[in-house]
Amino acid sequence: MNPVTEKITSEIELAVLKALKPYGDFKKSDDKFSTYDLFGTTSGQKTLIEIKNRSTEYDNWYIEKAKIDRLVALKNKAAYNLRIYLCMVVENKAYFYNANEIAKSKVKEVYINNYTNEELNISKIMPKKSIRKLYCFPKNIYKTKILI
């Protein structure tokens, strides 16, 4: 991740973390390659949150199928009850979606830009675009919306 993107991502994670204080006790993941960005408890339940920033708000969101599948797999492997949320951030709004609900959404194959990570030199071994499987889910199925 380039330094500008990394700084923006970190600022968004901190803003979400601060906005979540009334809902529970959360911390940032120390591992920047973790499947989730925040972890903690809310209403006594362990909770993981993956945060995605979007520049525009749409009626339907797209998220990589593999990302949601990894989050759901974490929940299914846990020896305790675990809540998993995807947080979609647009400007000062954070929408929280239950990962299990997203996993029930329709899957689309879309020709998109591949993620490139300079540190891993992925851009040198992967084509710039490829067909990826994405979940498409309506914005209005969110569980909670908070201002950050």
Side-chain angles (χ1 to χ4, degrees):
M1 191 179 307
N2 73 48
V4 173
T5 303
E6 195 166 330
K7 182 176 187 279
I8 292 168
T9 299
S10 182
E11 289 171 356
I12 290 168
E13 288 172 355
L14 289 172
V16 172
L17 188 62
K18 182 179 176 183
L20 283 172
K21 282 188 190 266
Y23 298 91
D25 181 30
F26 290 93
K27 294 176 180 38
K28 276 181 69 168
S29 172
D30 291 332
D31 180 2
K32 71 179 183 177
F33 296 109
S34 174
T35 306
Y36 53 89
D37 297 307
L38 305 177
F39 65 94
T41 58
T42 181
S43 301
Q45 271 192 290
K46 293 185 184 209
T47 305
L48 303 178
I49 301 171
E50 170 65 9
I51 301 170
K52 289 293 170 198
N53 183 38
R54 299 292 187 253
S55 59
T56 306
E57 201 165 323
Y58 297 100
D59 290 336
N60 290 294
W61 296 119
Y62 290 91
I63 188 77
E64 280 189 80
K65 182 181 183 304
K67 177 167 288 299
I68 296 300
D69 291 350
R70 282 191 300 270
L71 289 167
V72 171
L74 274 175
K75 177 183 171 73
N76 293 338
K77 288 179 187 174
Y80 43 83
N81 196 5
L82 184 62
R83 291 181 181 176
I84 308 258
Y85 290 101
L86 172 67
C87 174
M88 301 294 279
V89 175
V90 181
E91 296 172 357
N92 69 333
K93 295 174 286 221
Y95 298 94
F96 291 83
Y97 297 88
N98 182 310
N100 286 323
E101 293 300 313
I102 295 171
K104 296 175 188 173
S105 301
K106 64 182 171 184
V107 176
K108 287 189 170 191
E109 290 190 354
V110 180
Y111 191 63
I112 63 170
N113 289 328
N114 285 318
Y115 174 76
T116 57
N117 185 321
E118 295 84 8
E119 294 170 17
L120 298 176
N121 289 321
I122 290 175
S123 58
K124 293 178 182 173
I125 59 174
M126 290 180 71
K128 289 192 184 229
K129 289 191 172 202
S130 66
I131 294 176
R132 305 290 280 277
K133 289 185 178 185
L134 307 174
Y135 282 118
C136 174
F137 60 98
K139 179 181 83 174
N140 65 0
I141 66 166
Y142 62 86
K143 298 295 180 194
T144 303
K145 174 184 167 185
I146 60 175
L147 297 179
I148 60 170

